[in-house]
Amino acid sequence: MAVSAAQAQGPAAVTGEPASAPVTSGIPAGTPADKSTSPPGNQLPTSKLPESELPEVAIERDEPRFVAPTRRDRIGRIWAPVLIDGKGPYRLVLDTGANHSAITQRAANRLGLPLSKDQALLTGVTGSATVQEVTVDRMEVGELLLGPTFLPIVPDVFAGADGVLGREGLAEMRILADFQHDRLTITRSRRQHADFDFAVVPLRLTPEGLLVATAMVGHVPARAIIDTGAERTVGNEALRQAVLHHPDSRARREDIVGVTLDVQTGDNEPTPPIYLEKVTLSGVRVTYGDMFLFEHWNMTAEPTLLIGMDVLGSFDTLIIDYRTHQLEVRTRTSVMRGQHRPTSPGEYTPF
């Protein structure tokens, strides 16, 4: 998700409802927030709804509070408990692909925040839209403190979460998501070394703030963007043409709905093993297509893969260190072999 400010245009009208049963793709980011006058995309609803008109979201008692692992019947998520202006905590999806945090209208209503006259241009994986925003004094989670800042109002496409926690302020931070024990910590990085049973994947930070690893998909070199806000792993057309030479009978068409509620369709297909340094991911299905965000990022010519929570949530523990530019992962198989014996990551089938 990319956010930039736009000139206020007055309230927008509701243009329609999202598709009935689509795959929600999360909201990966593009360029950093600025105050440019980029041409607006679609207009999303901006009027403040009474609390009684907002649908209730039920959370099961045994649902994980902070991190939910990927299973065969569900895709994992990482939720950060964020205090906003001292209230909450509010559950925000941790999104390393988003350049700015955002909240839903429901959360803004509960916080009693008035809508600003300013508007923001929101760019998601499938399109862009102009949205209204609110201003908050501070946001707190772990050792992360942000504010004052503006928060765009985004549709509720987060399965009951109150919005997203973007990567602003994460430059010196270390994120640890323990899917086995439902634990999330956000602390200042002290350049600590990875434990012996973790595999380390070097990352580089793009000028836009994206976390990118060097990958091999089969025998094809590719860029791999680490995006904790995306549900599905998505590849561009350049990757599909390089990797898949013939139509696969197991392919299926799949609708992807972004944070702007725009819908794009891709082909979900089995993919050759994905190599990230010492980690080999087998059995991964990738949705390929000319997604809007790849064009926004100027990533249409080179094979590019956006790795979402369908893969990232399959590990036992995930660590992202923004200071050392490292992704550290521990597989579930290494945990089953015992915590006190060094293991080679080897080949890992996440599903």
Side-chain angles (χ1 to χ4, degrees):
M1 178 185 74
V3 176
S4 61
Q7 298 298 320
Q9 301 292 331
V14 178
T15 58
E17 296 294 330
S20 57
V23 175
T24 304
S25 166
I27 50 175
T31 55
D34 57 40
K35 295 293 177 182
S36 62
T37 55
S38 303
N42 297 328
Q43 292 276 337
L44 288 181
T46 57
S47 57
K48 182 174 179 179
L49 298 175
E51 194 71 27
S52 60
E53 295 183 17
L54 294 172
E56 290 297 325
V57 178
I59 298 178
E60 298 296 333
R61 184 172 301 176
D62 59 350
E63 183 186 53
R65 296 177 59 198
F66 306 113
V67 292
T70 293
R71 305 293 188 195
R72 290 185 180 274
D73 59 343
R74 73 177 184 190
I75 294 175
R77 277 296 197 191
I78 301 176
W79 298 288
V82 181
L83 291 174
I84 303 177
D85 287 345
K87 301 176 183 178
Y90 290 86
R91 234 170 42 148
L92 304 187
V93 173
L94 179 67
D95 189 349
T96 59
N99 71 335
H100 206 280
S101 301
I103 59 173
T104 64
Q105 182 68 67
R106 171 191 293 276
N109 286 2
R110 290 180 173 173
L111 285 161
L113 297 173
L115 295 173
S116 168
K117 294 181 180 179
D118 295 327
Q119 292 185 323
L121 181 65
L122 188 71
T123 302
V125 68
T126 58
S128 63
T130 301
V131 299
Q132 288 194 278
E133 59 188 53
V134 295
T135 301
V136 299
D137 292 327
R138 59 191 290 141
M139 297 173 63
E140 305 169 70
V141 55
E143 296 182 6
L144 177 64
L145 176 62
L146 299 172
T149 187
F150 71 95
L151 296 174
I153 300 296
V154 293
D156 186 359
V157 294
F158 312 111
D162 298 304
V164 296
L165 179 65
R167 61 176 178 266
E168 75 269 35
L170 293 179
E172 301 294 320
M173 294 297 173
R174 184 174 188 265
I175 301 164
L176 184 149
D178 184 342
F179 294 96
Q180 181 74 14
H181 301 100
D182 189 16
R183 184 166 64 98
L184 173 68
T185 62
I186 301 177
T187 58
R188 293 193 178 277
S189 170
R190 294 163 180 82
R191 299 183 182 274
Q192 51 264 64
H193 295 289
D195 289 342
F196 64 83
D197 52 352
F198 278 78
V200 176
V201 179
L203 302 172
R204 63 181 177 86
L205 206 61
T206 70
E208 297 82 12
L210 300 172
L211 295 169
V212 179
T214 299
M216 294 288 291
V217 183
H219 299 289
V220 176
R223 292 177 294 195
I225 301 166
I226 306 302
D227 189 349
T228 60
E231 286 192 359
R232 298 289 186 183
T233 295
V234 180
N236 64 3
E237 281 294 333
L239 179 63
R240 171 160 59 179
Q241 293 174 11
V243 171
L244 305 175
H245 304 292
H246 305 285
D248 194 314
S249 60
R250 295 168 294 174
R252 57 175 182 260
R253 298 291 284 174
E254 189 168 77
D255 285 342
I256 295 181
V257 178
V259 69
T260 62
L261 302 184
D262 292 295
V263 181
Q264 286 191 284
T265 302
D267 294 313
N268 183 273
E269 305 188 43
T271 298
I274 300 170
Y275 304 97
L276 298 172
E277 289 292 319
K278 296 181 179 180
V279 178
T280 302
L281 300 170
S282 300
V284 178
R285 295 185 68 99
V286 174
T287 300
Y288 294 96
D290 282 322
M291 301 304 163
F292 177 86
L293 201 58
F294 288 129
E295 182 177 351
H296 179 78
W297 283 333
N298 295 318
M299 293 184 178
T300 57
E302 182 180 338
T304 302
L305 188 69
L306 188 150
I307 299 181
M309 286 301 298
D310 54 343
V311 172
L312 299 175
S314 68
F315 295 108
D316 173 83
T317 304
L318 172 77
I319 296 173
I320 297 173
D321 195 315
Y322 272 86
R323 194 172 184 186
T324 62
H325 294 176
Q326 287 184 342
L327 170 69
E328 304 168 20
V329 295
R330 182 171 61 195
T331 67
R332 294 173 187 169
T333 53
S334 68
V335 173
M336 289 187 290
R337 291 173 184 168
Q339 295 289 341
H340 305 291
R341 188 178 72 181
T343 58
S344 171
E347 182 165 330
Y348 178 52
T349 302
F351 309 111

